[in-house]
């Protein structure tokens, strides 16, 4: 693979993983299995390690979780909610054990079932519940305290001895299988009472317990959230006086928390493997969903000794069970068009039970997957899902294929607008190039435009956008700034107050900075981080539009692929027209203050990676200080880097790479001396 192809591959993987993260954490939609996602992430990590010069500043490998939801106050976690390393085979568990034994003699583990729900952080002060926070991006999450209070498993006041004055819990909010079925039955009953047609009922149902729990925890109305009747297992605590994980769990039960009965101490890896085998089938009989086993070191002092990587603890690992599989009949293939125009084939199947839910649809990914499967009309197929996710077709039962069955042929034209599809070299997906005339692309672009990280328009949600398009109230994003109040009031369900909120949200959005406006435009490959870099470098949309492709590509952290995408966007007359209308509406298309170019600063021409925690600075404060003095900030270590500024708990992989690449590693003390 040449360097250009490598950079392209890294960008493709990053965009794909960002998309799956957004769908999973923002919209409670799981488009791929955990196994597929982890493999994509592993592939990206390996490529970035081998070619650090192509690592993007917004690479998903730098992140722990998903984005923070809109509509809730953002709260910083006292203790980061890190992800766990995953494995799907025993060999990697044995390797994990070998690494542990280099530091810990005769390790004692604790095995716990891995619940398939939503991670939550709970704060208690003087024995009283004070705050509930979602995982968010691992560093900060959403304050969902009002919703958490409705979960009966979570005590509002603790009882017992040795309760710390101020401590933090970690747990998993979940929906039981029984309650999931009850909620879906209620949906069906209400829909039938309203006269909804039978064939439309499947689209109204909750897709699976995990997504139902995720959607409920972020409801704006806690009374509605209470109707979901969620449950919660507590599995860890921070700020307690105990010296082992089992001691924590035992005391949590005494204080009134619900702790799963099915955890076990394991003396060595052989007992861990026994636990995993024991629960592979037994777990399916439980009244809630599980998808694996979490293995942790029991001794808390040993955990401190083992430490953390930049995104996960070294003292724990999650073993995930292999996907369940079922046989079904292919009824048809439909093609969905996304915001970027990517066309994704989806299989409609005869209903089949899988992982406790009824499966009717499965992803086919792209044309290449259809060809790999050699898929024909009416084929009998196997579908699988790991835990509760949108399933995928894995193989065809050839011996059951009907005679004269016709092969499935990927369309040459967009299924929505009939525009001829195109595919870029090196990409698997076909795209509809009619981005300003294809209905699903228009819908998705407007939904992206109103997003919190973009224009952050309160009062308008995705469903509202869909309705406004249907009723011809809007045709593109520019119409949001020229809404007809009377037309909206005439729509069912819209009253004076809700319409006031829409207009207030639209007016307030005009204060969003240039970087947010640039991100809101939805230029392909320009995420929030890239938009910020471009805004700082070019100051205004006019400068960016006039810039040569090579000048954009040469900006630190951008590259050729993104530059090509930007120039292509500005080459289209409709996009330029949209920008001009948004300018006229009062949106900010230039920086409030131009970035000061430091020609002879202390760090002029020098590049830094900042990692870890510091005594005298917040990390972002350090980055700003470096930029003020002429330096540039990177997210990855390569031979081109000048300094790795390493604080406490700096990423071990970054330190290793810096050593191999001959990069100078600065301590906080050394940095302060340079400033002097």
């Amino acid at each position: 693979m040449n360097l250009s192809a490598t950079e392209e591959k890294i960008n493709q993987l990053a965009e794909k993983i960002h998309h799956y993260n957004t769908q999973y954490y923002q919209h409670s939609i799981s488009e791929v299995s955990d196994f597929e996602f982890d493999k994509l992430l592993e592939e990206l990590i390996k490529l970035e390690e081998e070619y650090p010069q192509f690592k993007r500043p917004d690479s998903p490998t730098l992140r722990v979780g998903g984005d923070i939801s809109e509509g809730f106050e953002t709260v910083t976690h006292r203790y980061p909610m890190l992800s766990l390393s995953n494995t799907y085979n025993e060999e990697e568990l044995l390797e994990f054990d070998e690494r542990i034994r280099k530091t810990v003699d005769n390790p004692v583990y604790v095995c716990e079932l891995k619940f398939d729900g939503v991670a939550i952080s709970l704060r208690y002060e003087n024995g009283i519940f004070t705050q509930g926070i979602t995982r968010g991006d691992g560093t900060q999450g959403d304050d969902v305290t009002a919703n958490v209070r409705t979960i009966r498993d979570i005590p509002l006041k603790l009882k017992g001895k040795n309760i710390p004055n101020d401590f933090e819990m970690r747990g998993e909010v979940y929906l039981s299988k029984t309650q999931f079925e009850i909620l879906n039955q209620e949906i069906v009953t209400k829909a039938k009472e309203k006269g909804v047609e039978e064939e439309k009922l499947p689209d109204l149902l909750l897709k699976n317990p995990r997504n139902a729990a995720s959607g409920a925890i972020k409801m704006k109305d806690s009374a509605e959230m209470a109707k979901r009747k969620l449950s919660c297992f507590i599995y860890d605590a921070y700020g307690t006086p105990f010296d082992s994980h089992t001691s924590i769990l035992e005391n949590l039960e005494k204080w009134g928390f619900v702790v799963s009965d099915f955890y076990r101490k394991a003396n060595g890896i052989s007992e861990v493997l026994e636990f995993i085998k024991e629960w592979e089938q037994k777990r399916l009989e439980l009244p809630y969903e599980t998808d694996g086993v979490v293995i942790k070191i029991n001794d808390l002092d040993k955990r401190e000794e083992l430490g953390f990587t930049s995104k996960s603890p070294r003292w724990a690992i999650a073993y995930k069970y292999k996907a369940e599989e079922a046989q079904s009949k292919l009824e048809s293939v439909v093609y969905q068009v996304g915001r970027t125009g990517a066309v994704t084939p989806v299989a409609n199947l005869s209903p089949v039970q899988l992982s406790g839910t009824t499966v009717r649809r499965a992803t086919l990914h792209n044309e290449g997957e259809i060809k790999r499967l050699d898929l024909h009309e009416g084929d009998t197929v196997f579908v699988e899902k790991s835990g509760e996710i949108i399933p995928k077709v894995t193989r065809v039962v050839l011996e059951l294929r009907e005679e004269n069955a016709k092969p499935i042929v990927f369309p040459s034209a967009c299924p929505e607008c009939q525009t001829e599809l195109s595919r870029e070299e090196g990409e698997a997906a076909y795209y509809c190039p009619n981005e300003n005339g294809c209905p699903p692309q228009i819908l998705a672009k407007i939904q992206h435009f109103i997003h919190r990280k973009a224009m952050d328009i309160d009062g308008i949600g995705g469903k509202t956008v869909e309705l406004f398009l249907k009723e011809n109230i809007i045709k593109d994003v520019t119409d949001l700034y020229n809404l007809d109040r009377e037309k909206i009031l005439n729509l069912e369900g819209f009253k004076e107050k809700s319409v006031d909120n829409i207009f207030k949200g639209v007016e307030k959005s005009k204060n969003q900075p240039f970087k947010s406006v640039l991100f809101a435009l939805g230029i392909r490959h320009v995420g929030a981080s890239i938009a910020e870099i471009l805004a700082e470098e070019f100051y205004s949309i006019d400068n960016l539009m006039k810039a040569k492709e090579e000048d954009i590509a040469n900006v630190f952290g951008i590259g050729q692929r993104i530059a090509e995408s930007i120039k292509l966007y500005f080459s289209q007359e409709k996009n330029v027209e949209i920008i001009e209308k948004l300018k006229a509406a009062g949106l900010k298309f230039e920086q409030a203050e131009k970035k000061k170019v430091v020609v002879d600063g202390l760090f002029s021409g020098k590049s830094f990676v900042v990692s870890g925690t510091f005594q005298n600075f917040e990390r972002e404060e350090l980055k700003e200080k470096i930029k003020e003095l002429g330096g540039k900030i990177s997210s990855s270590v390569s031979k081109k880097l000048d300094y790795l500024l390493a604080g406490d708990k700096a990423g071990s992989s970054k330190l290793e790479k810096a050593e191999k690449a001959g990069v100078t590693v600065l301590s906080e003390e050394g940095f302060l001396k340079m400033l002097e």
Side-chain angles (χ1 to χ4, degrees):
M1 190 183 295
N2 60 44
L3 289 180
S4 177
T6 301
E7 183 180 13
E8 188 173 335
K9 181 66 174 175
I10 286 174
N11 278 314
Q12 285 176 11
L13 286 168
E15 287 297 322
K16 186 177 287 188
I17 293 167
H18 274 315
H19 170 74
Y20 292 148
N21 267 328
T22 300
Q23 293 294 86
Y24 187 82
Y25 290 103
Q26 288 294 98
H27 308 300
S28 301
I29 296 172
S30 307
E31 291 190 350
V32 293
S33 69
D34 288 354
F35 178 82
E36 288 173 277
F37 182 90
D38 291 338
K39 289 300 177 188
L40 288 172
L41 201 58
E42 284 174 19
E43 185 180 359
L44 181 57
I45 289 168
K46 287 177 181 176
L47 282 172
E48 287 179 348
E49 285 176 349
E50 193 172 352
Y51 303 96
Q53 68 270 34
F54 297 140
K55 186 169 183 176
R56 292 160 46 144
D58 66 338
S59 171
T61 62
L62 301 174
R63 299 176 57 183
V64 174
D67 288 335
I68 299 159
S69 303
E70 61 187 77
F72 296 94
E73 182 185 349
T74 300
V75 181
T76 301
H77 293 297
R78 293 178 185 172
Y79 307 92
M81 293 186 75
L82 300 178
S83 299
L84 290 176
S85 298
N86 291 327
T87 181
Y88 294 83
N89 61 68
E90 292 185 5
E91 290 77 11
E92 290 181 359
L93 276 182
L94 294 172
E95 290 171 8
F96 166 76
D97 181 58
E98 283 179 20
R99 291 195 298 272
I100 294 293
R101 287 178 180 275
K102 290 177 182 177
T103 305
V104 181
D105 293 329
N106 302 316
V108 176
Y109 298 106
V110 178
C111 299
E112 300 168 296
L113 293 178
K114 186 175 179 297
F115 314 113
D116 198 12
V118 182
I120 197 78
S121 176
L122 309 173
R123 291 181 180 175
Y124 283 80
E125 295 178 18
N126 300 316
I128 304 295
F129 170 67
T130 58
Q131 198 169 41
I133 312 165
T134 63
R135 180 194 292 277
D137 63 3
T139 301
Q140 53 186 7
D142 300 330
D143 187 332
V144 290
T145 304
N147 285 349
V148 170
R149 288 184 192 278
T150 70
I151 302 174
R152 294 183 180 273
D153 286 353
I154 297 175
L156 300 180
K157 185 176 181 179
L158 305 183
K159 298 177 181 179
K161 300 177 181 178
N162 302 317
I163 299 174
N165 292 331
D166 188 359
F167 73 114
E168 193 166 314
M169 318 296 305
R170 293 289 155 77
E172 193 86 359
V173 174
Y174 68 93
L175 185 68
S176 71
K177 293 176 182 176
T178 300
Q179 185 59 22
F180 174 73
E181 294 299 331
I182 290 172
L183 290 173
N184 269 338
Q185 188 55 53
E186 288 175 355
I187 290 170
V188 170
T189 301
K190 289 178 182 177
K192 286 183 176 179
E193 288 173 356
K194 292 180 179 179
V196 175
E197 297 171 5
E198 193 76 30
E199 60 267 23
K200 293 182 179 179
L201 292 177
D203 294 331
L204 302 176
L205 298 176
L206 299 170
K207 303 307 178 187
N208 55 60
R210 187 266 163 201
N211 288 3
S214 176
I217 204 73
K218 296 174 184 177
M219 283 179 169
K220 302 283 180 70
D221 185 348
S222 58
E224 285 300 313
M225 150 76 181
K227 294 176 183 176
R228 290 285 174 100
K229 296 182 181 178
L230 300 182
S231 302
C232 182
F233 280 128
I234 302 298
Y235 55 78
D236 213 343
Y238 292 85
T240 66
F242 309 114
D243 59 3
S244 70
H245 187 64
T246 47
S247 296
I248 289 175
L249 296 178
E250 288 162 5
N251 280 277
L252 290 180
E253 288 186 273
K254 292 175 183 176
W255 295 342
F257 293 104
V258 177
V259 176
S260 170
D261 294 329
F262 309 117
Y263 70 86
R264 185 185 303 165
K265 243 187 344 185
N267 294 304
I269 197 68
S270 59
E271 291 189 11
V272 169
L273 296 176
E274 287 174 12
F275 183 90
I276 288 170
K277 289 174 183 174
E278 176 186 341
W279 280 98
E280 185 167 8
Q281 293 302 318
K282 255 172 67 172
R283 68 190 177 89
L284 302 176
E285 300 167 10
L286 295 172
Y288 45 82
E289 299 293 345
T290 62
D291 59 1
V293 173
V294 176
I295 301 104
K296 305 173 182 174
I297 287 288
N298 190 37
D299 190 311
L300 301 191
D301 288 336
K302 298 298 183 187
R303 290 186 184 181
E304 287 290 323
E305 199 175 336
L306 287 161
F308 302 81
T309 68
S310 59
K311 67 175 290 184
S312 60
R314 291 193 177 92
W315 42 264
I317 193 169
Y319 176 90
K320 291 194 174 182
Y321 290 113
K322 290 179 181 177
E324 292 183 61
E325 200 173 50
Q327 191 171 296
S328 183
K329 189 89 167 174
L330 178 67
E331 294 184 345
S332 64
V333 176
V334 294
Y335 300 88
Q336 298 177 338
V337 183
R339 176 174 68 87
T340 63
V343 178
T344 304
V346 176
N348 286 325
L349 306 168
S350 299
V352 61
Q353 285 294 312
L354 189 59
S355 295
T357 58
T358 303
V359 172
R360 293 180 174 87
R361 289 159 66 85
T363 182
L364 292 167
H365 298 298
N366 50 51
E367 182 198 34
E369 184 68 2
I370 290 175
K371 288 181 176 179
R372 185 191 71 79
L373 292 166
D374 186 27
L375 198 62
H376 283 55
E377 293 177 359
D379 269 348
T380 299
V381 298
F382 274 99
V383 289
E384 71 171 34
K385 58 195 300 194
S386 179
E388 287 301 331
I389 54 102
I390 292 177
K392 69 169 186 174
V393 174
T394 56
R395 66 185 194 275
V396 174
V397 184
L398 294 175
E399 51 269 31
L400 296 180
R401 176 171 289 167
E402 297 172 4
E403 279 189 52
N404 303 317
K406 295 179 180 179
I408 300 296
V409 178
F410 201 88
S412 59
C414 174
E416 298 286 344
C417 68
Q418 307 311 311
T419 303
E420 186 176 347
L421 300 179
S422 62
R423 182 168 63 178
E424 293 183 18
E425 188 177 345
E427 288 202 4
Y430 275 93
Y431 289 85
C432 170
N434 184 22
E435 60 176 290
N436 292 309
C438 184
Q441 290 191 67
I442 294 169
L443 170 63
K445 281 179 179 293
I446 301 174
Q447 289 174 335
H448 170 79
F449 187 85
I450 66 172
H451 189 272
R452 182 186 62 83
K453 282 189 175 181
M455 299 313 297
D456 192 20
I457 302 181
D458 284 335
I460 301 180
K463 292 293 183 184
T464 304
V465 170
E466 201 170 343
L467 179 62
F468 282 6
L469 281 169
K470 181 182 176 183
E471 298 295 331
N472 290 318
I473 290 173
I474 59 175
K475 293 180 180 178
D476 59 37
V477 296
T478 64
D479 293 329
L480 292 170
Y481 296 92
N482 191 30
L483 293 171
D484 188 319
R485 186 183 187 87
E486 292 307 314
K487 281 187 178 180
I488 299 173
L489 283 169
N490 287 331
L491 296 176
E492 186 180 347
F494 286 84
K495 297 182 180 179
E496 290 285 350
K497 187 175 180 181
S498 60
V499 176
D500 282 343
N501 288 337
I502 289 173
F503 277 82
K504 285 177 184 176
V506 168
E507 191 61 31
K508 185 182 175 184
S509 74
K510 295 177 183 179
N511 296 321
Q512 287 292 89
F514 174 41
K515 64 180 181 181
S516 298
V517 179
L518 185 56
F519 172 57
L521 293 177
I523 303 171
R524 196 171 171 205
H525 302 313
V526 177
S529 299
I530 295 297
E532 184 173 1
I533 292 171
L534 291 168
E536 284 192 354
E537 187 68 28
F538 293 98
Y539 318 139
S540 73
I541 195 75
D542 292 335
N543 289 340
L544 183 58
M545 290 171 75
K546 292 174 188 174
K548 294 179 180 178
E549 187 177 300
E550 56 265 33
D551 292 335
I552 299 173
N554 287 333
V555 173
F556 193 70
I558 301 299
Q560 188 63 37
R561 183 177 181 78
I562 297 173
E564 288 174 0
S565 180
I566 292 167
K567 294 306 290 182
L568 177 62
Y569 178 87
F570 291 135
S571 71
Q572 296 177 27
E573 188 178 336
K574 176 64 176 178
N575 293 334
V576 176
E577 181 185 324
I578 285 172
I579 290 168
E580 292 304 318
K581 286 184 178 179
L582 292 176
K583 279 183 181 179
L587 274 64
K588 295 182 178 179
F589 279 98
E590 60 181 33
Q591 292 278 65
E593 293 182 9
K594 290 186 177 181
K595 183 181 71 173
K596 295 178 182 177
V597 179
V598 183
V599 179
D600 56 353
L602 177 63
F603 299 135
S604 291
K606 302 296 182 183
S607 56
F608 287 75
V609 164
V610 182
S611 179
T613 57
F614 301 86
Q615 295 290 323
N616 300 290
F617 304 91
E618 292 293 330
R619 197 185 305 185
E620 291 306 312
E621 187 184 356
L622 268 175
K623 291 179 180 179
E624 287 304 314
K625 188 71 177 175
I626 291 166
K627 286 193 273 189
E628 283 173 14
L629 294 171
K632 292 185 176 182
I633 300 299
S634 177
S635 58
S636 60
V637 177
S638 69
K639 290 180 180 179
K640 295 180 180 180
L641 189 72
D642 294 297
Y643 297 104
L644 170 61
L645 178 49
D648 292 335
K649 297 180 181 177
S652 59
S653 62
K654 284 187 172 69
L655 290 167
E656 289 171 12
K657 287 179 189 174
E659 186 179 348
K660 288 179 182 177
V663 172
T664 301
V665 178
L666 273 180
S667 64
E668 184 174 5
E669 184 181 357
F671 181 76
L672 289 170
K673 285 181 179 177
M674 289 179 76
L675 293 181
E676 291 169 5

